[in-house]
Amino acid sequence: MKRKNVTVLLVVVMCCLNVFVGCQKQKSEEVKTVSKNDVSDKKILEYWTMWNETEIQGQVIKEAVDDFMKINPDIQVNITWCGREIRKTLQPALDKKEAVDIWDEDVERVVKNWGDYTLSLDDYVKKPYPTTEGKAYEECINYNLMNLIKVFSDDSTLKAIPYQAYITSFMYNKDHFIDAGITETPKTWEEFLVVCEKLKAKGHTPLTTDDAYADALIGYHLSRIKGYEWVEELVADESKAMWDDEAVLRMAEDYEHLASQGYFSKNIDSNIWPAGQQEVASGDVTMYVNGSWLPNEVLGTTGPDFNWGQFSYPAVKDGVETIGNLNFGSQCYAINKECEYPEEAFRLIAHITTGEWDEKLAASSMGMPSSNDANWPIQLQEAKGVLENATEWNPYGCGISSNIDLAPTIISNFQKLMSGELTAERFIEEMKK
């Protein structure tokens, strides 16, 4: 009797469990169905980025994308945090026609390497967007940056949109300039020598560099004399006969003079990056050629109140270049020509690169904003003028690093020249070996 009752009880319990499980399964399927329907109702944009989610740029971009989706509830943006690995992973993904609607990376790689995959944006930039205050998008963005993208393009079409711009210029300690009574940045080599002497007279070491950025000094100087195309020919000359050109001797003599006057850091011959920038950040040296990203890189040493300034590499007498010849560039956005929702994709790009999020990205990363009317970080106020006055684009190092096999020899001998170990003539002899 007892066994029969137990059996009946077990049957009842099992029936209840089956009903419960069935209900839960039905409920779960309903949830999945609702969720699937929610997503399927939206326009999906797959965005691959060069940033990591933990980087400050990544954090701000994520906020901007979340804000965009809140304003546009019919659009779902999925971010893939590729980091710098995007340089390896994007091309195969594009070749396999994986879902990649938007990506960002350095301007040269985006336009030159992946330009065949991108949508022409010439028509999109002629339209206003919610953050452009009624103006066409192209009227709101720095002209030099937009034009640079067309210069890189093989058919002069606009294949990308710039953001997080940079320049390569002299980065300097403005407090040292003030202490030395220097009221204007130098525009010519003669004015530059006066600045160096005034700094030295007040006890400041005028100049430094390191193995990572020494090429910018020699490249800019040679380019000022004969242009960066000539510099590229110089380093490509397998006969090395071009190292006998008077331009090389003139550059070497100018730097030999700087060394003889004691204008360089005493560590100039042994500085390994980031030693040079740390000398500036710690206040031991005044001037250093680097990218405008430097204030952000050394923030941990300088703190936020370091008085930064920037000026373009000075022009030299009878040279072919002016201070308007500048190495500058940016990261940039591109839209896949296979993108199903290009209008929405560009609206997202406009949302990030103008208005509130453009300024927040610049302020958070101590970077340059994209739009003309944005507020610049105080650390880069002078960089704004340098970029606006740029008339011609120069490649990084002005061509001196275009021969990667020769570059280490150039830097090594140039550091010896700056330290006084080599004379101008010996520098040329060493380069011809």
Side-chain angles (χ1 to χ4, degrees), residues 271-289:
N271 269 350
I272 304 297
W273 185 87
Q277 64 189 47
Q278 286 301 323
E279 287 182 312
V280 178
S282 61
D284 294 333
V285 181
T286 304
M287 298 184 288
Y288 174 58
V289 169

Side-chain angles (χ1 to χ4, degrees), residues 362-373:
S364 300
S365 62
M366 289 189 184
M368 296 181 174
S370 301
S371 49
N372 295 321
D373 58 355

Side-chain angles (χ1 to χ4, degrees), residues 30 32 36 41 47 66 123 219 239 314 423:
E30 287 174 353
K32 287 180 181 176
K36 185 177 180 181
D41 288 341
Y47 167 24
D66 288 344
D123 292 337
S239 74
T423 63

Side-chain angles (χ1 to χ4, degrees), residues 4-5 44 62 70-71 73 80 87 102 127 167 185 190 235 320 373 400 413 421 431:
K4 184 177 181 181
N5 287 342
I44 307 295
K62 185 175 187 304
K70 185 178 179 181
I71 297 170
T80 299
R87 296 167 191 172
I102 307 169
K127 304 174 185 176
I167 63 171
T185 54
E190 290 73 21
V235 298
V320 301
D373 58 355
I400 199 72
N413 287 330
E421 183 179 338
M431 287 309 307

Side-chain angles (χ1 to χ4, degrees), residues 70-117:
K70 185 178 179 181
I71 297 170
N72 301 276
D74 61 324
I75 301 174
Q76 173 74 37
V77 182
N78 299 324
I79 304 177
T80 299
W81 303 100
C82 301
R84 307 313 181 265
E85 288 296 305
I86 196 172
R87 296 167 191 172
K88 302 175 184 175
T89 58
L90 181 63
Q91 178 84 45
L94 294 172
D95 287 338
K96 294 177 183 176
K97 297 189 180 298
E98 292 182 20
V100 184
D101 296 301
I102 307 169
W103 63 86
D104 61 30
E105 234 285 334
D106 174 78
V107 58
E108 285 196 65
R109 272 187 288 273
V110 168
V111 179
K112 293 181 178 178
N113 297 359
W114 303 314
D116 290 343
Y117 302 90

Side-chain angles (χ1 to χ4, degrees), residues 239-277:
S239 74
K240 298 192 175 182
M242 289 181 68
W243 288 92
D244 284 324
D245 192 283
E246 62 178 11
V248 178
L249 179 61
R250 181 178 172 188
M251 177 282 301
E253 288 179 338
D254 284 343
Y255 272 84
E256 181 183 2
H257 176 71
L258 294 178
S260 70
Q261 298 303 303
Y263 293 154
F264 287 114
S265 160
K266 62 182 184 300
N267 303 314
I268 196 72
D269 60 338
S270 59
N271 269 350
I272 304 297
W273 185 87
Q277 64 189 47

Side-chain angles (χ1 to χ4, degrees), residues 297-340:
E297 278 194 357
V298 297
L299 180 61
T301 302
T302 63
D305 298 325
F306 191 93
N307 199 3
W308 285 106
Q310 299 83 31
F311 62 89
S312 186
Y313 197 93
V316 299
K317 187 177 181 181
D318 299 325
V320 301
E321 286 190 353
T322 71
I323 59 173
N325 291 78
L326 182 72
N327 170 243
F328 63 96
S330 71
Q331 313 307 324
C332 65
Y333 283 107
I335 298 176
N336 194 329
K337 62 184 179 184
E338 305 290 340
C339 177
E340 187 177 359

Side-chain angles (χ1 to χ4, degrees), residues 114-297:
W114 303 314
D116 290 343
Y117 302 90
T118 64
L119 180 73
S120 170
L121 302 176
D122 291 278
D123 292 337
Y124 295 87
V125 299
K126 298 185 184 306
K127 304 174 185 176
Y129 293 86
T131 52
T132 61
E133 300 180 343
K135 299 178 184 175
Y137 180 85
E138 63 183 358
E139 296 175 22
C140 302
I141 302 299
N142 182 285
Y143 170 79
N144 280 328
L145 295 176
M146 293 281 275
N147 190 53
L148 180 62
I149 290 173
K150 288 192 174 183
V151 169
F152 287 155
S153 173
D154 54 6
D155 58 3
S156 299
T157 61
L158 187 67
K159 294 180 180 292
I161 295 298
Y163 80 105
Q164 283 277 288
Y166 63 84
I167 63 171
T168 305
S169 67
F170 268 108
M171 309 290 292
Y172 73 98
N173 185 327
K174 291 176 71 173
D175 286 339
H176 287 187
F177 270 42
I178 293 170
D179 184 50
I182 302 165
T183 57
E184 291 187 12
T185 54
K187 296 179 177 59
T188 67
W189 191 249
E190 290 73 21
E191 293 174 355
F192 182 72
L193 294 177
V194 172
V195 164
C196 288
E197 187 57 31
K198 286 185 175 181
L199 288 167
K200 181 185 173 185
K202 291 295 288 187
H204 302 297
T205 301
L207 290 161
T208 192
T209 189
D210 48 45
D211 64 324
Y213 291 99
D215 54 353
L217 289 171
I218 182 175
Y220 256 130
H221 206 84
L222 286 170
S223 187
R224 289 291 188 256
I225 298 171
K226 300 201 75 164
Y228 79 81
E229 295 92 346
W230 183 87
V231 179
E232 290 176 339
E233 292 176 14
L234 170 69
V235 298
D237 177 21
E238 294 184 357
S239 74
K240 298 192 175 182
M242 289 181 68
W243 288 92
D244 284 324
D245 192 283
E246 62 178 11
V248 178
L249 179 61
R250 181 178 172 188
M251 177 282 301
E253 288 179 338
D254 284 343
Y255 272 84
E256 181 183 2
H257 176 71
L258 294 178
S260 70
Q261 298 303 303
Y263 293 154
F264 287 114
S265 160
K266 62 182 184 300
N267 303 314
I268 196 72
D269 60 338
S270 59
N271 269 350
I272 304 297
W273 185 87
Q277 64 189 47
Q278 286 301 323
E279 287 182 312
V280 178
S282 61
D284 294 333
V285 181
T286 304
M287 298 184 288
Y288 174 58
V289 169
N290 200 291
S292 51
W293 54 76
L294 183 62
N296 189 45
E297 278 194 357

